[in-house]
């Protein structure tokens, strides 16, 4: 099915025609249409046009009003204030527009695909091999996953990349220790859970670190292993692969708990660019983008200086010949631009790494790898805070394990579901508890602008009141209950009916779903979709309170139309929540 023209776009076209007829030189001008508390829509663009044409804005507005075609879409339009236009939409237009969205067999609710989709490589969910995931890994995963859903839904070709930390000096230590204690990880993959696998690795890491710090001979052997690893020694690489495989078991278990799809083919860690590092350095040095300074290969920036006032360089290769993060990140850019043919490189990375990425992106621009056709963006996110407004820590001052945090959210949510559940089995309560708990964690993150910090408050997150995913899930479940109880009366649009104020408000908001999705995708801003969905649930609550659907039973045509509004709302909530990576249970 073709996309559905929204009411705002339709009104925009009517106003554009009226403007052109009134002021030919204003053809193509933006009427600046927006939703308004004083009418369905308000257009503010005439003030600027009047100033440009040296005309009286109210008089010009009155002339435009005389040219506006009223009828199927616009019921009424009047001049307000210094020259605003207040526009009222015909009830029939609202219902017919929603009916067109309702009839979309693809289930897209009339949301159009982007006219000129490109290829976006999105770098998100980047845990480290042989280390447990903590609360700091939450935002990259949750925000990144939602942006992936939004971009794919609007037609963008999305390539997912999980740039895991799987290379570096610590692996020499781990590999040497395992080589000397071969039974530490002696089990089959099928015999162990993800958390147990990481527990084994964690124990192994601590034992290796203890020996490394206390035994100089072991330290020497471990450092030699780092050289073997970087040189591609088969036995050392095989041991390294074992660590990566063990860690992946754990990663997948955590991402499964987060209800996220992470595909093995999308995991391309630091090691994936190892063969490109020398060439990256050669290209930068030969082009003059990078220069040798005290033996290291550096890129300097006049506008980036340290506390001493001297320029802070980006070190691509260390003086001892080793490579830093910059070499890996620049090699990844080359791969993503020239092999994956990306138009956009999107990095969902902690805001504290902003300086690093600013220097990396500028280096890639100087090298010609980024240009007008290929852009790189850091979608920087803030910190997860505790209730006290400080970085989230355990009582002992340690970083909170992500698994523990998710398990607690599921436990809290399960208690809420059990309290409300009337006809759910224990198995269903457990399933709903997981969906509600994980949804609560994700929504708390996604309803906040990514670049802001937010407080992690489980009591608030699983509340049935306020701006929470539980409130939205409950609204969806309530609609499903109404549809089940409606019996033989089925949802059906009746454009001939006049709409109550609560019906009109709900219908107009439903109409802006496509526009909101498009904006959230274009700006990598899931919080805008979250805000839309919360307002939708709030408007539905008002509609439900003021417009009886089943009891007391209204006339059949009104009941059918109200059930239709219920169903369109449910479908919109379901699709919108899915784009946030959140489930909508049929029953709560």
């Amino acid at each position: 099915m073709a996309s559905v023209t929204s009411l705002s776009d339709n009104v925009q076209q009517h106003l554009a025609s009226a403007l052109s007829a009134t002021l030919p030189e204003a053809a193509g001008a933006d009427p600046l249409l927006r939703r308004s508390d004083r009418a369905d829509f308000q257009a503010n663009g005439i003030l600027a046009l009047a100033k440009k044409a040296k005309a009286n804005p109210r008089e010009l507005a009155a002339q435009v009003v005389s040219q506006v075609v009223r009828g199927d879409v616009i019921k009424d339009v009047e001049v307000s204030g210094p020259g605003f236009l207040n526009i009222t939409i015909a009830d029939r237009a609202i219902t017919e527009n929603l009916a067109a969205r309702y009839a979309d067999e693809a289930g897209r609710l009339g949301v159009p695909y982007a006219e000129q989709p490109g290829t976006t490589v999105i770098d998100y969910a980047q845990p480290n091999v042989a280390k447990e995931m903590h609360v700091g890994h939450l935002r990259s995963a949750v925000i990144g996953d939602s942006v992936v859903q939004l971009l794919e839904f609007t037609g963008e070709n999305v390539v997912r990349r999980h740039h895991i930390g799987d290379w570096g000096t610590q692996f020499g230590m781990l590999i040497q220790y395992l080589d000397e204690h071969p039974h530490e990880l002696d089990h089959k993959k099928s015999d162990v859970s993800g958390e147990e696998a990481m527990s084994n690795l964690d124990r192994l890491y601590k034992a290796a670190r203890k020996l490394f710090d206390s035994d100089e001979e072991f330290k020497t052997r471990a450092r030699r292993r780092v050289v073997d690893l970087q040189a591609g020694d088969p036995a050392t690489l095989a041991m390294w692969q074992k660590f990566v495989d063990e860690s992946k078991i754990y990663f997948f278990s955590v991402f499964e708990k987060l209800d996220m799809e992470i595909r093995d083919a999308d995991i391309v860690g630091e090691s994936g660019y190892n063969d490109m590092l020398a060439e990256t350095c050669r290209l930068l040095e030969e082009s003059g983008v990078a220069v040798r300074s005290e033996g290291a290969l550096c890129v300097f920036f006049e506008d980036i200086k340290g506390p001493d006032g001297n320029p802070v360089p980006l070190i691509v290769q260390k003086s001892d010949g080793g490579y830093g993060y910059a070499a890996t990140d620049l090699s990844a850019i080359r791969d993503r631009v020239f092999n994956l043919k990306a138009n956009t490189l999107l990095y969902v990375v902690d805001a504290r790494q902003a300086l690093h990425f600013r220097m990396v992106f500028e280096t890639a621009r100087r090298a010609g790898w980024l240009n007008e056709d290929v852009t790189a963006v850091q979608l920087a996110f803030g910190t997860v805070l505790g209730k006290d407004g400080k970085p989230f820590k355990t009582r002992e001052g340690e970083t909170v394990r992500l698994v523990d945090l998710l398990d607690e959210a599921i436990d809290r949510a399960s208690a809420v579901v059990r309290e409300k559940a009337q006809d759910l089995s224990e198995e269903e309560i457990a399933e709903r508890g997981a969906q509600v708990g994980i949804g609560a964690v994700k929504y708390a993150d996604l309803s906040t602008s990514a670049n802001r910090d937010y407080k992690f408050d489980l009591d608030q997150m699983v509340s049935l009141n306020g701006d929470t995913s539980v409130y939205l899930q409950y609204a969806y479940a309530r609609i499903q209950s109404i549809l089940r109880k409606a019996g033989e009366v089925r949802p059906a649009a009746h454009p001939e009916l006049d709409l109550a104020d609560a019906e009109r408000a709900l219908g107009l908001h439903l109409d802006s779903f496509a526009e909101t999705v498009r904006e959230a995708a274009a700006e990598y801003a899931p919080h805008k979709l979250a805000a839309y969905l919360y307002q939708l649930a709030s408007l539905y609550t008002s509609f439900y309170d003021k417009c009886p659907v089943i009891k007391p039973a209204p006339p059949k045509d009104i009941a059918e139309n109200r059930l239709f509004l219920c169903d369109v709302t449910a479908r919109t909530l379901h699709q919108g929540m899915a784009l946030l990576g959140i489930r909508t249970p049929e029953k709560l």
Side-chain angles (χ1 to χ4, degrees):
M1 175 181 169
S3 61
V4 179
T5 301
S6 69
L7 290 171
S8 61
D9 285 346
N10 211 324
V11 171
Q12 188 105 351
Q13 292 166 13
H14 277 71
L15 291 181
S17 297
L19 272 171
S20 296
T22 307
L23 203 65
E25 61 268 33
D30 187 352
L32 299 180
L33 190 71
R34 61 179 181 83
R35 290 297 308 279
S36 171
D37 294 334
R38 302 187 177 185
D40 294 335
F41 292 97
Q42 188 174 81
N44 301 339
I46 288 177
L47 275 71
L49 288 172
K51 187 175 182 181
K52 194 173 180 181
K54 296 189 170 124
N56 181 296
R58 272 192 70 88
E59 289 177 5
L60 180 59
Q63 292 172 32
V64 172
V65 166
S66 69
Q67 296 287 342
V68 172
V69 177
R70 295 165 176 77
D72 292 344
V73 177
I74 296 177
K75 179 182 178 181
D76 192 25
V77 55
E78 60 182 20
V79 180
S80 170
F84 303 136
L85 298 186
N86 285 347
I87 299 139
T88 303
I89 304 297
D91 287 356
R92 172 178 285 275
I94 296 172
T95 306
E96 286 180 344
N97 190 276
L98 293 183
R101 296 186 184 283
Y102 191 70
D104 184 349
E105 294 177 0
R108 295 180 57 81
L109 298 165
V111 177
Y113 288 104
E115 292 180 6
Q116 294 181 308
T119 296
T120 295
V121 176
I122 177 168
D123 189 327
Y124 70 109
Q126 311 105 341
N128 294 308
V129 165
K131 291 183 181 178
E132 289 192 287
M133 292 176 69
H134 54 77
V135 67
H137 291 112
L138 178 65
R139 300 208 73 187
S140 178
V142 171
I143 295 168
D145 183 58
S146 180
V147 172
V148 166
Q149 306 302 329
L150 282 163
L151 290 175
E152 288 184 339
F153 191 69
T154 51
E156 182 78 353
N157 175 37
V158 178
V159 181
R160 311 171 191 205
R161 279 291 175 266
H162 307 296
H163 192 87
I164 64 172
D166 64 353
W167 206 246
T169 54
Q170 67 171 330
F171 290 98
M173 178 186 78
L174 283 164
I175 291 166
Q176 188 61 35
Y177 185 85
L178 186 60
D179 194 28
E180 297 174 10
H181 303 79
H183 300 299
E184 289 281 346
L185 290 178
D186 191 14
H187 58 253
K188 296 177 182 177
K189 289 183 186 178
S190 57
D191 296 335
V192 66
S193 72
E195 290 178 39
E196 289 171 328
M198 187 48 69
S199 178
N200 290 333
L201 280 177
D202 194 55
R203 186 185 68 249
L204 185 74
Y205 180 86
K206 287 175 180 175
R209 169 57 69 182
K210 185 177 180 181
L211 190 60
F212 185 86
D213 291 339
S214 63
D215 187 331
E216 286 298 321
E217 290 184 4
F218 175 75
K219 183 180 288 187
T220 300
R221 295 195 298 275
R223 285 176 170 163
R224 199 176 299 133
R225 267 304 172 106
V226 178
V227 177
D228 292 342
L229 177 64
Q230 292 175 338
D233 173 63
T236 303
L237 279 176
M239 204 85 78
W240 167 80
Q241 190 64 54
K242 197 165 188 176
F243 284 117
V244 174
D245 291 343
E246 289 284 337
S247 295
K248 282 184 179 179
I249 297 171
Y250 165 73
F251 295 157
F252 288 131
S253 73
V254 177
F255 289 127
E256 184 178 6
K257 188 166 285 191
L258 264 172
D259 199 15
M260 282 174 50
E261 180 193 29
I262 300 290
R263 301 180 296 228
D264 192 56
D266 301 331
I267 299 176
V268 183
E270 294 166 358
S271 63
Y273 307 100
N274 200 43
D275 294 342
M276 299 176 67
L277 301 180
E279 186 181 22
T280 294
C281 291
R282 179 180 62 78
L283 291 170
L284 291 172
E285 190 169 11
E286 287 180 356
S287 65
V289 172
V291 295
R292 292 286 169 183
S293 175
E294 298 179 18
L297 186 63
C298 305
V299 182
F300 289 92
F301 311 88
E302 290 183 5
D303 59 337
I304 301 176
K305 297 179 180 177
D308 58 1
N310 293 321
V312 176
L314 180 71
I315 300 174
V316 184
Q317 188 177 22
K318 302 170 189 174
S319 56
D320 64 2
Y323 301 103
Y325 290 123
T328 305
D329 287 333
L330 288 163
S331 297
I333 287 176
R334 288 177 53 219
D335 177 63
R336 294 166 185 185
V337 172
F338 299 111
N339 295 333
L340 300 178
K341 309 297 182 187
N343 308 107
T344 305
L345 307 180
L346 184 59
Y347 294 78
V348 188
V349 183
D350 192 313
R352 288 171 291 190
Q353 296 188 44
L355 178 60
H356 169 76
F357 279 101
R358 181 180 159 197
M359 293 194 289
V360 166
F361 295 163
E362 177 57 28
T363 299
R365 272 191 284 272
R366 291 181 186 181
W369 305 333
L370 297 176
N371 50 47
E372 290 182 1
D373 299 320
V374 187
T375 57
V377 180
Q378 182 193 358
L379 177 49
F381 56 82
T383 305
V384 181
L385 306 174
K387 288 184 183 181
D388 58 3
K390 298 177 181 177
F392 204 16
K393 301 279 186 182
T394 64
R395 288 180 181 176
E396 294 75 32
E398 296 177 2
T399 304
V400 179
R401 294 196 323 157
L402 183 53
V403 169
D404 293 341
L405 183 148
L406 298 178
D407 285 342
E408 186 178 355
I410 291 170
D411 289 345
R412 295 279 193 95
S414 297
V416 172
V417 172
R418 180 174 280 105
E419 186 181 325
K420 291 286 181 182
Q422 296 178 353
D423 55 352
L424 296 179
S425 66
E426 280 299 311
E427 185 179 347
E428 287 174 321
I429 289 172
E431 181 187 7
R432 302 295 192 278
Q435 292 174 346
V436 171
I438 297 303
V441 170
K442 287 184 174 182
Y443 187 84
D445 192 315
L446 296 172
S447 60
T448 305
S449 176
N451 59 14
R452 291 176 54 196
D453 299 341
Y454 80 95
K455 291 183 181 180
F456 195 92
D457 183 348
L458 273 176
D459 292 329
Q460 173 58 29
M461 287 180 187
V462 299
S463 171
L464 281 164
N465 302 309
D467 189 5
T468 67
S469 67
V470 192
Y471 176 65
L472 303 183
Q473 288 169 322
Y474 186 70
Y476 176 81
R478 182 161 62 176
I479 296 172
Q480 296 307 317
S481 174
I482 291 168
L483 293 172
R484 287 191 295 270
K485 292 175 181 175
E488 295 180 3
V489 183
R490 304 313 304 150
H494 285 273
E496 74 280 2
L497 292 175
D498 291 337
L499 298 176
D501 288 346
E503 293 173 309
R504 297 184 91 262
L506 181 61
L508 285 166
H509 190 68
L510 284 164
D511 176 65
S512 61
F513 178 62
E515 183 182 343
T516 303
V517 169
R518 189 169 58 224
E519 186 178 331
E523 298 178 14
Y524 314 126
H527 71 280
K528 292 196 171 183
L529 176 58
Y532 169 89
L533 294 172
Y534 173 61
Q535 190 178 356
L536 176 60
S538 300
L539 287 168
Y540 178 78
T541 299
S542 178
F543 156 81
Y544 179 78
D545 290 342
K546 296 173 183 174
C547 302
V549 180
I550 299 174
K551 292 181 180 179
K556 189 178 181 221
D557 56 350
I558 293 177
E560 289 177 341
N561 200 60
R562 287 177 178 172
L563 281 172
F564 159 72
L565 284 171
C566 288
D567 205 6
V568 180
T569 301
R571 293 184 188 192
T572 305
L573 281 170
H574 176 76
Q575 181 60 72
M577 294 286 270
L579 293 174
L580 297 179
I582 299 173
R583 304 272 180 179
T584 41
E586 299 287 310
K587 293 181 181 179
L588 274 182

